[in-house]
Amino acid sequence: RSRSNPTKMQVSRAASRPALAGRGRLSVVNVAQPTGSRKVEAPKAEGRRLAETRLNSLAAPLLVLPGLASAASDALKPAAEYFNTLGLPEALIHWGHPGNMAVVLFAMGGYGALYQGWQIRTSNDAEVVAAAKDSHPKLAGAMFFFFLAGASGGMMSLIMQGKPIFESSHVVTGLIGLALLSVQATLPAFFKSGGESARTAHAFLGTSILALFLVHGGLGLQLGLSL
């Protein structure tokens, strides 16, 4: 009996070791699983932060728009309130701006800026070229002026209808177009020094700007239909 007792004790201890080891392994697994899941989720969270950073960086150039919109709204609001007292037709308030700008775009932009500009470059008729050289800068300059005036008219229309300004792709493309027109207007000053390269840049930049304003007009039509 005295010998069998230690043997039984040894057997019982040996039998308990796997159980303890098993419990140890289970506890290790239980501890390791959350750690492993955190390692898997970390790249996903990092990717989300990276994507958010990229989106914010793309949006950064437009962060000035809220302040600009507030300043423009404050400046135009008194005039908008006055025009609202005149009892103007709703159709005129809603569609007056796009109607006027369409005339400017196709008459002054399409004919005066685009068509006559390319006549100067491509026509072999001296009289046609002379007439185009005379009217092209006048009509292109008038287009730029009326686009600037039309921008304030479009904002006035939105304010009169109680709508926010500078919250659409229409206004963003308009601002880009006006900025590019400002650059375009300076290029003729380099015709003598820059030669044919400056003239080519003027022609193709002007064509691209008018294409942008076509997109701008389509976005404006979409905006008008949505109001």
Side-chain angles (χ1 to χ4, degrees):
R1 290 181 183 177
S2 61
R3 292 180 180 176
S4 61
N5 288 336
T7 303
K8 289 180 180 180
M9 292 176 63
Q10 290 175 1
V11 171
S12 63
R13 288 175 183 173
S16 65
R17 286 172 186 167
L20 291 173
R23 285 193 295 270
R25 282 194 298 271
L26 286 173
S27 64
V28 171
V29 171
N30 289 337
V31 172
Q33 282 177 347
T35 305
S37 65
R38 283 195 296 270
K39 290 181 179 178
V40 173
E41 291 174 358
K44 294 181 180 179
E46 184 179 355
R48 285 193 296 269
R49 286 194 298 271
L50 216 67
E52 185 179 354
T53 302
R54 288 173 184 154
L55 287 174
N56 289 338
S57 66
L58 290 174
L62 301 180
L63 292 179
V64 297
L65 293 185
L68 189 58
S70 178
S73 181
D74 291 342
L76 294 173
K77 191 173 181 180
E81 291 176 349
Y82 168 74
F83 283 117
N84 270 334
T85 64
L86 299 180
L88 298 174
E90 180 64 27
L92 178 62
I93 297 173
H94 194 88
W95 295 109
H97 167 74
N100 290 332
M101 292 301 97
V103 172
V104 174
L105 176 61
F106 289 105
M108 296 181 180
Y111 176 75
L114 184 64
Y115 177 71
Q116 288 193 325
W118 280 100
Q119 272 190 326
I120 295 171
R121 287 182 59 86
T122 60
S123 179
N124 295 320
D125 190 328
E127 292 183 0
V128 170
V129 172
K133 282 185 176 181
D134 179 63
S135 59
H136 168 72
K138 296 176 182 177
L139 289 174
M143 178 194 71
F144 191 10
F145 171 78
F146 283 111
F147 274 167
L148 284 173
S152 62
M155 290 186 287
M156 181 88 68
S157 172
L158 288 173
I159 295 172
M160 291 174 69
Q161 296 174 77
K163 305 297 181 182
I165 59 176
F166 287 16
E167 292 187 7
S168 68
S169 300
H170 177 67
V171 70
V172 174
T173 53
L175 291 174
I176 294 172
L178 290 175
L180 291 175
L181 277 177
S182 301
V183 176
Q184 174 77 342
T186 65
L187 290 179
F190 300 96
F191 281 178
K192 290 184 179 180
S193 60
E196 188 62 24
S197 298
R199 295 178 182 274
T200 300
H202 179 77
F204 283 98
L205 177 60
T207 302
S208 302
I209 292 172
L210 288 175
L212 173 63
F213 273 111
L214 277 177
V215 176
H216 172 73
L219 293 171
L221 178 61
Q222 183 183 35
L223 177 62
L225 293 173
S226 68
L227 295 178

